[in-house]
Amino acid sequence: MSIYKKQQYQMSEEELKKVQQIQQELIQEVKRICEKVGIHYNMVGGTMLGAIRHKGYIPWDDDADIGFLRSEYEKFRKACRTELNHEKYYFQDLRDTKGYRWGYGKLRRKNTEFIRLDQEFMPYEQGVSIDIMPFDNVPDGWLARRWHFFCCFVYRKLFWSEVGSRTEENRLIQIIYKIMSKIPMELILKSYQKFIDKGRKKKTHLVRILTFPTPKGVYGYKREWYTDLVKYPFEDMVLPGAKDYNGYLYIKYGDYMEMPPIEKRKIHPVSKLKLLEE
């Protein structure tokens, strides 16, 4: 069986800058809504790293990550129905967007396209976006934490299976993905929602994005990194991030102030890019 492959679009430095400018517009919209409604959010991942190391974007980064504890994420998702500027933007989530298969949301800019390589067949719009990341509780117990980690792995693979069944080069793994992709999405979503709801019953020490990989040996991140916040400059904005940024970034990236070698400074591969007309 042939593997589904599409040709990668080579994004220019000028186009990357325009992508980042659109994402800053999206971040501003998140900031506006959260400040109006009273929702707590903060920079996470590469966006937090960029704020500390570069005072803005990592120069080669084509992504932006905004995090919310689960309760705040649900407030933001609800607020988007009435507060979002729907003439310019749209929000996607597992429960709101047919065919969407990621365990976190995306805020996208209308009249743009940012089609991920090998995801051209996904049945939803793919405009330039930022990631809207919900952080859920991780159990405190030794055994419960490891079972939770395994469940997160399984859900991540279930959601990925539609892509993996077409792109995975290992024949055996591809077959497994094909079998997983046959499971009705409605059943997966029902099970996943129960998994989320069960975890919300008790406040725990660690939290994580359930369907996003964590560094080796890391089951989650300290809750305080999403509640004890201060503001940092990010490009032309000032955004909240972990007060203990060193603890957070070291766990996530190791020696985070050291620049990676040039060959590892990669962007997400895309097959089609359409930006706003001047």
Side-chain angles (χ1 to χ4, degrees), residues 86 102-103 112-113 116 146 186 260:
H86 294 284
W102 317 118
T112 66
E113 287 185 287
R116 290 283 178 89
R146 281 152 181 79
E186 294 79 10

Side-chain angles (χ1 to χ4, degrees), residues 225-243:
W225 292 335
Y226 308 90
T227 58
D228 190 5
L229 309 173
V230 296
K231 292 187 176 181
Y232 301 93
F234 184 88
E235 301 295 341
D236 295 330
M237 297 174 277
V238 178
L239 301 171
K243 182 177 181 180

Side-chain angles (χ1 to χ4, degrees), residues 13-218:
E13 289 186 14
E14 181 182 0
E15 288 172 325
L16 176 58
K17 288 293 183 184
K18 289 182 179 178
V19 168
Q20 293 174 347
Q21 288 169 4
I22 294 170
Q23 290 175 344
Q24 289 173 63
E25 182 184 327
L26 291 163
I27 295 171
Q28 285 281 18
E29 181 70 355
V30 171
K31 184 174 185 285
R32 181 189 70 79
I33 293 172
C34 290
E35 289 179 352
K36 179 179 179 180
V37 180
I39 299 171
H40 298 285
Y41 71 100
N42 61 293
M43 296 180 288
V44 296
T47 303
M48 187 65 202
L49 173 58
I52 299 302
R53 196 169 68 191
H54 304 278
K55 307 297 183 188
Y57 270 94
I58 299 171
W60 57 90
D61 199 1
D62 63 350
D63 197 7
D65 308 299
I66 302 296
F68 301 77
L69 291 179
R70 171 59 68 175
S71 59
E72 301 301 295
Y73 177 88
E74 297 300 338
K75 291 177 187 177
F76 180 78
R77 175 174 170 261
K78 182 178 179 180
C80 280
R81 298 171 188 166
T82 55
E83 304 297 335
L84 186 67
N85 182 343
H86 294 284
E87 292 184 1
K88 291 185 175 182
Y89 315 112
Y90 57 102
F91 178 70
Q92 295 178 328
D93 177 87
L94 275 167
R95 294 158 290 178
D96 305 319
T97 307
K98 188 175 181 178
Y100 190 85
R101 299 183 69 91
W102 317 118
Y104 50 91
K106 287 182 180 289
L107 186 65
R108 297 189 188 266
R109 184 60 162 90
K110 287 187 173 181
N111 302 313
T112 66
E113 287 185 287
F114 190 93
I115 310 297
R116 290 283 178 89
L117 187 65
D118 297 332
Q119 295 183 26
E120 297 79 9
F121 58 87
M122 299 300 269
Y124 53 82
E125 291 184 73
Q126 295 185 57
V128 174
S129 69
I130 60 173
D131 292 335
I132 306 297
M133 302 290 206
F135 284 80
D136 287 283
N137 293 335
V138 174
D140 291 325
W142 184 90
L143 184 59
R145 185 173 288 176
R146 281 152 181 79
W147 174 250
H148 183 269
F149 184 88
F150 174 73
C151 291
C152 289
F153 171 81
V154 172
Y155 281 117
R156 183 167 76 248
K157 296 304 180 183
L158 283 168
F159 290 137
W160 176 254
S161 63
E162 188 66 31
V163 177
S165 66
R166 301 169 187 246
T167 62
E168 175 58 52
E169 296 183 355
N170 182 294
R171 177 62 175 159
L172 178 58
I173 296 176
Q174 186 192 35
I175 291 171
I176 294 172
Y177 278 138
K178 286 185 77 67
I179 294 170
M180 296 175 88
S181 70
K182 301 299 182 184
I183 301 173
M185 195 63 181
E186 294 79 10
L187 293 180
I188 298 173
L189 288 177
K190 187 176 181 180
S191 173
Y192 185 60
Q193 189 60 51
K194 287 182 178 179
F195 184 60
I196 292 172
D197 293 341
K198 182 180 179 181
R200 296 179 71 178
K201 293 179 180 178
K202 182 181 178 182
K203 188 175 179 180
T204 58
H205 179 62
L206 300 181
V207 296
R208 65 168 288 182
I209 307 166
L210 298 179
T211 61
F212 205 80
T214 56
K216 186 176 181 180
V218 175

